[in-house]
Amino acid sequence: MEEQKRSLMGIFTVLLLFISISSFQLLRASDNPDDVDDAIFYESFDEDFEGRWTVSNKDSYNGVWKHAKSEGHDDYGLLVSEKARKYAIVKELKELVTLKDETVVLQFETRHQSGLECGGAYLKYLRPQEVGWTPKEFDNESPYSIMFGPDRCGATNKVHFIVKHKNPKNEKYVEHHLKNPPSVPSDKLTHVYTAILKPKNELRVLIDGEVKKKANFLSADDFEPPFIPPKTIPDPDDKKPKDWDERAKIPDPDAVKPDDWDEDAPMEILDEEAEKPKGWLDDEPEEIDDPEATKPEDWDDEEDGEWEAPKIDNPRCDSAPGCGEWKRPMKKNPAYKGKWHAPLIDNPAYKGIWKPRDIPNPDYFELEKPDFEPIAAIGIEIWTMQDGILFDNILIANDGNIAASYRQTTWKPKFNIEKKNQKEEDSDGGLGFLTDLQTKVFELLYKIEDIPFLSDYRIKIHDLIQRGEKQPNLTIGVLVSVVVVFLTIFFKLIFGGKKKPARVEKPYPTPKESKADQSGEENYENKEKEETSTSAPRRRIRRD
């Protein structure tokens, strides 16, 4: 009995100690308004967005936003609910967020529950309304400071990071795009995107807590166009002189065509030495009427004309070297020389490739650091062919450790569950080894879909790919069938086909087409990679 009491007292003491330490930590966070664990803005979508976010009234933005659970979780998010729609929604911040003198972290989660083959899932960090926009009229023209997030359609597959920056010389705003941005994960799991803007013009782009891109805002190698314009530019008024000769080689003016040069000799001539192969079937045609074809019962000779059986390859020709009338083959003409041209010689008047002279750039300016516009609101303005895009846990903070903490407590548990469920589904279907293959094949097929000469087939191709992707237990046979369809169209367009008299049937109605950091401190990144059973306590936040 005494031993049980001592055991219970020990457990009780440990619990009291744990509660005391936790309370002390929370008390410290509450007493210090500048604590690094305090978020500037955070939206979890645990509550309905209506009344807190403003949906655009613009006619073209008719996509319906929904407050919905993420598939397989009890966690809510902001859902894109319909395909082939434009969406626009905005949240005004209570205070401006400046992007000049300290670290600023932009982070949000998104999950492409139906995949993301053609659409955007990025956020726009908007400038103050004084520059000419309103929440009810929010659209793609509303001025933003930063655009950040995934975008994928056809050949486009990138995580955008775009800054609109004002040239202090001409006061025009220029979009500066991050060069070589990371690609978008091609699965249906929840992913978290983080952009960390640090002092000394540093930028870090992270996906799922892993640094995917490091850049410097003032480096011409990292942004296009560069923030700092070139010191010199080609003179727009400079013109190439009329006597400027850019030809490095010219025909020899002294060359004369040889007397024995026959320009009329054909490229090919009949091979007089060729002999007809033994076994050639002179009296057999290459094609015959299909013996199994029958005249349709509803065929009307007066309306449809005289019925003819479709042609098939003559099976007797398969075992013979050839059928029909034998003709001598052609061979290369040894006397062929083609059109005579004078040989080329060095041009004595050659001056090189002309280019205008450089002059000082009137719009040049020096810059120690970009003059970022403040953030007054967060908007989502996208066009997408997919539904099921879920946004969640939108965060603005002033320290990378805050973002890491949120990733650990809000994103990581969901991601681990989804990844485990995906592995189980692949394993149950016996298709675990096909996951990577399926991803690569469908990426290729979507690129093929965008080839210009396949435009007439695009709707059918897109529908075929989508139906294939929706099959969770897709087999090698189905994948091969899809590829064969593309190859058939390709070769038919390139090489054409042998025209055969075919059975003429009454046309069927045309089916309707469907509508279409290391954030400066590596410590928290290392901690995040260690999976522990204990989640970090929820940080104190300031909700808008």
Side-chain angles (χ1 to χ4, degrees):
M1 188 69 177
E2 288 296 326
E3 186 175 341
Q4 289 180 348
K5 286 182 179 180
R6 285 195 298 271
S7 178
L8 288 172
M9 285 296 295
I11 294 173
F12 182 70
T13 302
V14 171
L15 287 173
L16 282 177
L17 180 62
F18 176 76
I19 293 171
S20 300
I21 294 173
S22 300
S23 300
F24 178 70
Q25 291 176 339
L26 291 174
L27 182 62
R28 285 184 59 197
S30 301
D31 289 342
N32 184 4
D34 297 323
D35 191 281
V36 296
D37 291 342
D38 189 16
I40 298 173
F41 170 84
Y42 175 66
E43 173 61 82
S44 66
F45 293 107
D46 291 340
E47 301 173 0
D48 198 341
F49 64 87
E50 292 187 5
R52 299 185 301 109
W53 289 67
T54 303
V55 178
S56 176
N57 285 340
K58 284 293 189 75
D59 293 338
S60 59
Y61 293 89
N62 54 3
V64 177
W65 295 98
K66 289 187 178 180
H67 183 239
K69 290 182 179 180
S70 179
E71 292 181 3
H73 304 290
D74 290 328
D75 185 45
Y76 282 87
L78 181 63
L79 180 68
V80 170
S81 66
E82 298 177 309
K83 297 180 179 180
R85 293 285 188 273
K86 285 185 176 182
Y87 292 80
I89 191 170
V90 67
K91 169 66 176 177
E92 300 177 71
L93 304 182
K94 290 183 178 179
E95 298 178 1
L96 291 179
V97 177
T98 60
L99 303 170
K100 293 185 178 182
D101 301 322
E102 59 182 11
T103 295
V104 174
V105 183
L106 311 175
Q107 180 169 286
F108 68 99
E109 297 173 16
T110 183
R111 184 181 184 190
H112 310 142
Q113 298 176 145
S114 302
L116 184 64
E117 291 83 31
C118 192
Y122 41 78
L123 268 57
K124 290 184 175 180
Y125 299 87
L126 300 160
R127 292 159 55 194
Q129 294 182 41
E130 289 78 8
V131 299
W133 72 278
T134 62
K136 287 290 185 180
E137 298 292 313
F138 174 49
D139 61 10
N140 65 324
E141 298 295 330
S142 300
Y144 63 84
S145 178
I146 292 175
M147 185 176 118
F148 172 55
D151 187 16
R152 187 176 182 184
C153 191
T156 300
N157 183 0
K158 66 176 91 174
V159 177
H160 287 291
F161 187 89
I162 305 172
V163 179
K164 276 196 174 181
H165 186 261
K166 183 169 68 174
N167 183 315
K169 281 289 187 73
N170 57 26
E171 296 190 345
K172 293 181 180 179
Y173 282 88
V174 179
E175 284 189 359
H176 301 275
H177 294 245
L178 179 65
K179 286 185 178 180
N180 303 315
S183 57
V184 182
S186 57
D187 56 41
K188 300 179 181 180
L189 308 179
T190 300
H191 294 282
V192 57
Y193 298 87
T194 310
I196 303 177
L197 291 74
K198 296 176 63 64
K200 298 183 180 180
N201 301 314
E202 296 179 16
L203 171 68
R204 300 288 185 272
V205 176
L206 295 76
I207 302 179
D208 298 343
E210 181 181 350
V211 177
K212 295 293 186 179
K213 179 71 176 181
K214 298 179 182 180
N216 186 292
F217 285 110
L218 301 188
S219 172
D221 295 331
D222 291 333
F223 282 89
E224 178 61 37
F227 279 81
I228 301 177
K231 288 186 177 181
T232 61
I233 59 172
D235 184 357
D237 298 324
D238 194 12
K239 305 297 181 182
K240 183 171 69 172
K242 293 181 179 180
D243 61 347
W244 191 280
D245 197 336
E246 294 183 327
R247 299 173 300 164
K249 298 281 186 179
I250 60 172
D252 185 354
D254 298 326
V256 179
K257 182 176 72 172
D259 294 335
D260 61 348
W261 192 287
D262 185 1
E263 293 184 333
D264 298 325
M267 184 182 295
E268 291 184 331
I269 58 175
L270 285 174
D271 185 357
E272 299 295 344
E273 298 178 357
E275 296 181 357
K276 182 170 65 175
K278 293 182 179 179
W280 189 278
L281 305 179
D282 298 87
D283 300 328
E284 289 289 341
E286 293 183 17
E287 294 181 335
I288 61 172
D289 292 343
D290 185 354
E292 298 182 1
T294 57
K295 181 178 180 180
E297 295 180 359
D298 59 349
W299 188 274
D300 189 324
D301 290 334
E302 293 184 0
E303 289 187 10
D304 303 324
E306 183 180 353
W307 181 82
E308 295 181 1
K311 299 289 185 179
I312 63 170
D313 292 335
N314 189 344
R316 295 183 180 178
C317 297
D318 293 341
S319 57
C323 289
E325 180 185 359
W326 181 81
K327 296 180 180 179
R328 292 185 183 279
M330 303 293 287
K331 70 175 183 177
K332 186 177 180 180
N333 183 2
Y336 172 76
K337 292 185 178 181
K339 186 74 174 175
W340 181 84
H341 297 281
L344 297 178
I345 62 171
D346 291 337
N347 182 4
Y350 175 67
K351 293 185 178 181
I353 303 299
W354 182 88
K355 63 178 181 178
R357 64 177 178 271
D358 287 338
I359 61 173
N361 184 358
D363 294 327
Y364 172 76
F365 59 88
E366 294 184 356
L367 193 66
E368 292 185 2
K369 58 183 176 181
D371 186 18
F372 293 115
E373 300 289 341
I375 298 173
I378 297 176
I380 305 174
E381 184 274 316
I382 57 175
W383 172 88
T384 177
M385 293 298 293
Q386 271 70 48
D387 58 357
I389 301 175
L390 192 80
F391 295 89
D392 200 6
N393 295 314
I394 300 174
L395 172 74
I396 300 178
N398 55 15
D399 189 275
N401 289 292
I402 303 173
S405 175
Y406 275 85
R407 288 196 296 271
Q408 194 68 22
T409 56
T410 64
W411 165 75
K412 196 65 175 286
K414 288 189 294 187
F415 180 78
N416 289 340
I417 291 172
E418 293 163 9
K419 198 169 184 180
K420 180 182 177 182
N421 291 341
Q422 185 185 56
K423 288 182 178 179
E424 290 177 353
E425 290 177 4
D426 293 342
S427 177
D428 291 341
L431 296 172
F433 71 97
L434 283 177
T435 303
D436 292 338
L437 175 62
Q438 289 174 341
T439 299
K440 293 178 180 178
V441 168
F442 282 110
E443 284 180 352
L444 174 61
L445 296 182
Y446 275 109
K447 289 181 180 179
I448 293 175
E449 177 192 349
D450 287 334
I451 295 175
F453 67 74
L454 294 179
S455 58
D456 293 341
Y457 304 87
R458 186 171 186 179
I459 294 177
K460 293 181 180 179
I461 292 172
H462 188 79
D463 182 61
L464 180 62
I465 298 173
Q466 283 198 324
R467 279 189 282 134
E469 277 201 312
K470 288 179 181 178
Q471 300 179 40
N473 295 325
L474 203 62
T475 63
I476 287 289
V478 175
L479 290 175
V480 171
S481 299
V482 175
V483 175
V484 167
V485 171
F486 285 107
L487 292 178
T488 302
I489 297 173
F490 177 77
F491 285 114
K492 188 175 292 184
L493 289 171
I494 296 299
F495 300 108
K498 185 181 290 183
K499 295 183 180 179
K500 302 179 181 181
R503 178 178 58 189
V504 180
E505 298 181 0
K506 289 185 177 180
Y508 289 94
T510 303
K512 294 183 179 179
E513 295 175 348
S514 59
K515 296 181 180 179
D517 176 343
Q518 296 170 0
S519 63
E521 306 83 27
E522 296 184 356
N523 57 327
Y524 73 86
E525 294 295 345
N526 294 331
K527 289 180 181 177
E528 190 174 1
K529 293 180 181 178
E530 298 176 3
E531 298 200 9
T532 60
S533 58
T534 305
S535 297
R538 192 53 173 266
R539 306 300 184 184
R540 184 174 69 87
I541 59 176
R542 181 165 69 247
R543 286 180 177 273
D544 280 14

